[in-house]
Amino acid sequence: MDHTTMFIPNYTDIVTTVGYDYEEPIGLLLALKIILCLIFLVGVSSNGSIVILMVIYGFHNVSDVFIGILCTANILFLVIFTPLEISEFNPHGSSLFICRLVNTMNVYFCAVSVLSLVVLSYERCSAVIRPMSSRSSSTKSTAVKIILVILLAGVLSAPFWFVYQRVDNRNTPDQTFFEFAVYSTTVTMYVCPLILIAAMYTCMAATLMHTAASLQESTQNRHVQSRRNRVSWIVIGLVISFAVCWFPFYLYLMIIVTGADLPRLMYFLAYFRQTIYTLNTCSDPLSIYLLGSRFRQNLQKALCKKKKKQENLTLFQSFSSKQTVAGKSTSLSV
């Protein structure tokens, strides 16, 4: 069974995983595919709208840049891997290069999202603890952070390139490399990021408690603090979404590696894990729109502009048609 990919399992996979025979739930598989199609449509449109709004109205700070990177990674993940999941693509039957590429790129986009969340949390923490230094963040330092995220994501996803070997004309995972990849990925892309983010928000909470009284003395300070709180709530929503949606997937991998005898839980995770973590691509833009008033305002302005442009176009077409009719009437009278 392909334990490292994130595709919909087939009948043989589930029987091997669960350990007993049962009838293949065709209705459940069909329902999951329909849900994935809906997630694909909603995820691409919602993440795409945020990226478009940022391009139109500009990136105001480093947090905006990494929110854009997070949404772009979500779009690429959905566009590349959701069709493969729906079509039940089996990397075992493809070439070794394609098999390795699919699995590695899958993990790579996840690593980019996770690292973007870490950078977003760090920026929020710096804005609270060292407000003056965070304001002086230059384009060069932002570019360095982007490059580091891209390179580090490659390093984190690299172990999955070596998991598969070609044996008897079939791509087979090497048990040693597979276990190493699972443990390293779980630690570096789930456990450690959550610990780091929790530590940073603990520091933020302690700092805010100490500075709350002084910030209330000035209207300008209250405005600054309100803006920081809005961005912080967006990041908190993204982190909670990540922790909840990706927990079943990492739990599934750890159960496989440790050999724990949990057949019913494995049955549930085998079918629903990829739907739950793919749902994370929709919950990210939902958190941004619900918790970020600036994004809602920009979306409303963009929609109003489009509506006004459409109305002007309709008026112009109506005026043109009237002029045409008037011209024909004049010519007839002559």
Side-chain angles (χ1 to χ4, degrees):
M1 175 181 178
D2 178 12
H3 297 307
T4 61
T5 54
M6 305 177 183
F7 307 117
I8 296 175
N10 57 31
Y11 174 76
T12 306
D13 292 339
I14 299 300
V15 170
T16 305
T17 302
V18 177
Y20 56 84
D21 269 335
Y22 68 103
E23 292 185 3
E24 185 178 8
I26 303 298
L28 177 60
L29 289 175
L30 180 60
L32 290 176
K33 289 184 179 184
I34 294 174
I35 292 172
L36 283 175
C37 290
L38 294 175
I39 292 174
F40 175 82
L41 295 175
V42 174
V44 171
S45 58
S46 57
N47 284 282
S49 66
I50 291 175
V51 174
I52 292 171
L53 288 175
M54 286 187 165
V55 171
I56 293 174
Y57 295 102
F59 299 89
H60 294 80
N61 47 48
V62 181
S63 296
D64 282 358
V65 173
F66 280 93
I67 287 176
I69 291 174
L70 178 66
C71 291
T72 303
N74 286 341
I75 294 172
L76 292 174
F77 180 87
L78 287 169
V79 170
I80 296 174
F81 296 106
T82 304
L84 298 179
E85 293 174 351
I86 294 173
S87 64
E88 300 186 32
F89 171 75
N90 182 13
H92 288 162
S94 60
S95 66
L96 180 61
F97 175 79
I98 295 297
C99 180
R100 287 177 169 179
L101 181 64
V102 168
N103 284 280
T104 304
M105 291 302 295
N106 202 326
V107 180
Y108 177 80
F109 287 125
C110 298
V112 170
S113 299
V114 173
L115 293 173
S116 297
L117 288 178
V118 174
V119 175
L120 282 168
S121 300
Y122 172 77
E123 291 299 323
R124 290 302 87 213
C125 187
S126 297
V128 172
I129 297 177
R130 299 192 306 273
M132 298 306 297
S133 62
S134 65
R135 291 177 189 175
S136 61
S137 181
S138 63
T139 304
K140 184 178 179 180
S141 64
T142 303
V144 170
K145 291 173 184 175
I146 294 173
I147 293 172
L148 286 176
V149 166
I150 293 173
L151 294 177
L152 187 54
V155 172
L156 295 178
S157 59
F160 278 88
W161 182 268
F162 303 98
V163 166
Y164 284 90
Q165 305 297 330
R166 194 71 172 176
V167 179
D168 297 330
N169 294 324
R170 181 177 174 82
N171 301 321
T172 305
D174 181 270
Q175 188 64 27
T176 303
F177 273 113
F178 171 67
E179 292 181 1
F180 172 76
V182 169
Y183 284 125
S184 63
T185 303
T186 303
V187 172
T188 58
M189 290 175 52
Y190 190 77
V191 178
C192 286
L194 289 180
I195 292 175
L196 285 173
I197 292 170
M200 286 186 281
Y201 274 94
T202 301
C203 294
M204 286 173 56
T207 303
L208 289 173
M209 288 178 64
H210 287 295
T211 59
S214 60
L215 285 174
Q216 292 177 356
E217 295 175 359
S218 162
T219 303
Q220 182 179 1
N221 284 338
R222 286 199 299 268
H223 177 71
V224 171
Q225 183 62 21
S226 175
R227 186 174 66 250
R228 291 178 186 169
N229 288 340
R230 286 197 298 270
V231 180
S232 297
W233 278 113
I234 291 175
V235 180
I236 290 174
L238 296 175
V239 172
I240 293 175
S241 172
F242 161 74
V244 172
C245 291
W246 281 95
F247 177 74
F249 172 71
Y250 286 106
L251 177 62
Y252 176 79
L253 290 182
M254 294 307 297
I255 292 175
I256 292 174
V257 171
T258 58
D261 186 19
L262 299 169
R264 296 190 180 278
L265 179 59
M266 284 296 291
Y267 177 87
F268 172 81
L269 295 176
Y271 277 115
F272 291 97
R273 72 188 190 283
Q274 92 279 350
T275 304
I276 296 173
Y277 68 64
T278 307
L279 190 62
N280 184 218
T281 59
C282 293
S283 60
D284 284 345
L286 179 64
S287 300
I288 293 170
Y289 278 126
L290 287 179
L291 302 174
S293 58
R294 177 164 58 87
F295 290 98
R296 292 197 303 272
Q297 292 168 1
N298 288 341
L299 179 63
Q300 187 175 6
K301 285 193 293 184
L303 293 176
C304 289
K305 285 183 179 180
K306 183 177 180 181
K307 183 178 180 181
K308 187 175 181 181
K309 185 177 179 180
Q310 185 64 34
E311 290 176 350
N312 291 336
L313 179 62
T314 304
L315 288 173
F316 175 76
Q317 291 173 344
S318 176
F319 177 77
S320 299
S321 62
K322 288 180 180 178
Q323 289 292 100
T324 303
V325 172
K328 289 182 179 179
S329 300
T330 303
S331 62
L332 288 173
S333 62
V334 172

